[in-house]
Amino acid sequence: MVTISYVAAYTFFFLALVAFLFMKKHKRKPQENLKLPPGSMGWPYIGETLQLYSKDPNIFFASKQKRYGEIFKTHLLGCPCVMLASPEAARFVLVTQAHLFKPTYPRSKERMIGPWALFFHGGGYHLRLRKLVQGSLGPDDLRGLIPDVEAIVITMLDAWNGRVLSTFHAMKKFSFDVAILTFFGDRLSERHKVELKKNYFIVDKGYNSFPTNFPGTPYYKAIQARKQLSRILSEIMNERRERGVVGNDDLLGCLMDSKDEKGARLTDDQIADNIIGVLFAAQDTTASVLTWIVKYLHDHPKLLEAVKGEQMAFLEANKSCGNRPLTWTQTRSMTLTHRVIMESLRMASIISFTFREAVADVEYKGYLIPKGWKVMPLFRNIHHNPEFFPNPHEFEPSRFKGRSYL
């Protein structure tokens, strides 16, 4: 009996141990019980990148949303992604649960802009750079540039007289000139302006190309031009140091003059990456918005006349005061112009989506967003959703009447 009891006890213990180990091995965390969002991941590695590049991106994402709903998965540019197409989801990622997601871009985009750009970082470094950029590009700093921007516009319009031009390319040159003024003040030599413009537009052309880094491809040319931009910016910084005129009244001077709590300055690479990063964030988007505004006003002659009337009132007022330049206060009083701008931003949705990356497994509406996956709120899909904007494909600036945007 003793032997039988011993064997029975041993057997029970052995089975219990096996069951415990089995359950421990297969016990799932709450997040692991969740399923991934619906969608298709496409081919190995390349995913659905070719489908994205072979058609209008807006049609690509709209067809996905129609098939799978407001949250779906895909695989783009070598990255597994979760796409979100509702204001609630965008707020979840960018505001209420922003600590669960870090700013990120595909590796090909990071390489083009530069790894030290504030968009690719979180924490103290991101906070420091964001304050520096916002501090040098805030209303107090920009209001003093209004007369200079007006002078650039007048010169640009004079150069257009009697010529047929591509509106978008002309607006890109204009927005680049304004960015150069904002970032470097009036301290930049003409040689450096020409070199920056030449190499920047090569980078810009290759930025959204397929990331094949072989000689002759737009991406390869862009990478080489990006190296030249770093060299040019380093040369500009060294010249300022040699003259002893760093200054902090423009973005470059603000970055060069900055010290952290330990007294350490930013490196030249960090400064160059952030100058180029902010330029990318502002230049192309501004040119696109301006182009769409021209297009929408052309398509709505009565609205164009009303906007011209609002502008002419300020022009006549300034002429009667001795041809004084446009003022910041006057720009804040152009209510119809601002509605046109807001509706153009909604209709065109210049920034169709933004990249974030989950820093942990995240649950959203019963779905799992795995750690390391890219998360992309689809702004255009939101802006064109009739639930939020009735008649979304109609250009109606009056929809912003009474809204606070000044």
Side-chain angles (χ1 to χ4, degrees):
M1 290 293 294
V2 174
T3 304
I4 295 175
S5 299
Y6 175 80
V7 171
Y10 179 81
T11 302
F12 175 80
F13 173 77
F14 176 78
L15 292 175
L17 179 62
V18 170
F20 172 78
L21 293 175
F22 179 85
M23 293 301 294
K24 182 177 172 89
K25 180 179 180 181
H26 292 275
K27 185 177 181 180
R28 306 181 65 157
K29 297 178 181 179
Q31 294 93 334
E32 293 176 337
N33 292 319
L34 301 173
K35 59 183 179 180
L36 291 170
S40 171
M41 302 300 281
W43 293 89
Y45 182 70
I46 62 173
E48 297 185 308
T49 304
L50 294 179
Q51 292 95 311
L52 175 65
Y53 275 85
S54 64
K55 62 177 66 173
D56 184 335
N58 299 317
I59 295 176
F60 174 83
F61 290 126
S63 63
K64 291 283 186 181
Q65 181 183 351
K66 184 177 180 180
R67 181 175 181 181
Y68 299 115
E70 293 184 346
I71 175 172
F72 55 91
K73 67 177 183 288
T74 183
H75 195 284
L76 302 171
L77 297 171
C79 305
C81 305
V82 171
M83 322 302 286
L84 303 169
S86 72
E88 179 186 358
R91 194 175 300 113
F92 178 84
V93 173
L94 301 175
V95 182
T96 60
Q97 300 298 319
H99 62 285
L100 297 176
F101 306 91
K102 67 178 182 180
T104 185
Y105 279 74
R107 181 72 183 99
S108 60
K109 308 294 186 186
E110 291 186 21
R111 186 178 182 190
M112 195 74 71
I113 293 176
W116 287 108
L118 66 91
F119 317 115
F120 310 135
H121 293 269
Y125 178 81
H126 174 86
L127 182 62
R128 176 190 176 192
L129 267 297
R130 188 178 68 183
K131 287 182 177 179
L132 289 172
V133 171
Q134 290 178 339
S136 61
L137 300 178
D140 290 338
D141 299 275
L142 295 181
R143 62 166 46 96
L145 295 176
I146 296 298
D148 298 306
V149 174
E150 183 183 22
I152 293 175
V153 172
I154 292 172
T155 301
M156 176 187 70
L157 292 175
D158 289 341
W160 286 4
N161 191 28
R163 299 174 59 194
V164 176
L165 300 166
S166 162
T167 305
F168 181 56
H169 290 155
M171 292 302 183
K172 288 186 75 169
K173 292 179 180 178
F174 163 65
S175 60
F176 184 87
D177 288 341
V178 173
I180 291 296
L181 172 67
T182 307
F183 294 175
F184 302 99
D186 57 359
R187 298 185 178 92
L188 202 61
S189 69
E190 191 61 31
R191 177 176 67 87
H192 282 142
K193 286 182 183 179
V194 172
E195 289 183 351
L196 284 173
K197 181 177 290 187
K198 172 186 174 183
N199 286 281
Y200 174 80
F201 282 117
I202 295 174
V203 173
D204 182 58
K205 185 177 181 179
Y207 180 75
N208 287 317
S209 64
F210 199 81
T212 50
N213 196 20
F214 297 114
T217 62
Y219 185 80
Y220 177 86
K221 293 177 181 177
I223 290 295
Q224 304 309 308
R226 175 61 180 82
K227 294 176 182 177
Q228 289 299 313
L229 285 177
S230 288
R231 179 192 62 77
I232 297 165
L233 288 169
S234 181
E235 187 176 299
I236 294 170
M237 286 184 273
N238 287 333
E239 288 185 3
R240 285 199 180 192
R241 295 185 184 110
E242 290 172 1
R243 296 198 308 267
V245 187
V246 172
N248 59 6
D249 55 348
D250 55 40
L251 179 58
L252 178 61
C254 184
L255 295 177
M256 292 178 66
D257 194 51
S258 171
K259 296 180 182 179
D260 64 14
E261 62 277 2
K262 297 180 180 179
R265 296 184 183 276
L266 295 169
T267 66
D268 282 6
D269 285 341
Q270 290 173 324
I271 294 173
D273 288 359
N274 280 285
I275 288 286
I276 294 169
V278 176
L279 184 58
F280 258 96
Q283 191 266 341
D284 201 65
T285 52
T286 302
S288 296
V289 171
L290 291 171
T291 301
W292 280 106
I293 290 173
V294 171
K295 192 266 184 191
Y296 292 136
L297 288 176
H298 172 270
D299 293 346
H300 298 81
K302 291 184 179 180
L303 181 61
L304 172 60
E305 290 304 313
V307 171
K308 286 170 63 177
E310 182 176 69
Q311 300 294 314
M312 289 302 295
F314 290 106
L315 179 63
E316 294 300 327
N318 288 348
K319 280 184 177 181
S320 66
C321 295
N323 285 327
R324 73 177 184 182
L326 188 67
T327 67
W328 175 266
T329 301
Q330 288 176 323
T331 66
R332 299 296 88 190
S333 302
M334 298 174 180
T335 54
L336 178 58
T337 302
H338 275 274
R339 290 177 200 146
V340 169
I341 293 171
M342 294 294 289
E343 179 67 347
S344 298
L345 287 168
R346 184 198 69 81
M347 279 282 288
S349 295
I350 303 304
I351 301 176
S352 297
F353 52 82
T354 187
F355 285 95
R356 291 294 187 269
E357 181 179 312
V359 299
D361 285 351
V362 179
E363 177 185 354
Y364 180 72
K365 287 196 171 181
Y367 290 113
L368 171 66
I369 302 177
K371 177 181 178 180
W373 279 40
K374 306 298 182 186
V375 182
M376 299 163 64
L378 297 171
F379 301 133
R380 182 179 178 85
N381 295 54
I382 297 170
H383 294 161
H384 286 237
N385 190 324
E387 293 182 18
F388 313 124
F389 297 99
N391 302 316
H393 301 297
E394 295 294 326
F395 187 77
E396 298 177 2
S398 60
R399 73 174 79 240
F400 289 97
K401 188 175 183 179
R403 299 194 183 188
S404 177
Y405 48 81
L406 293 178

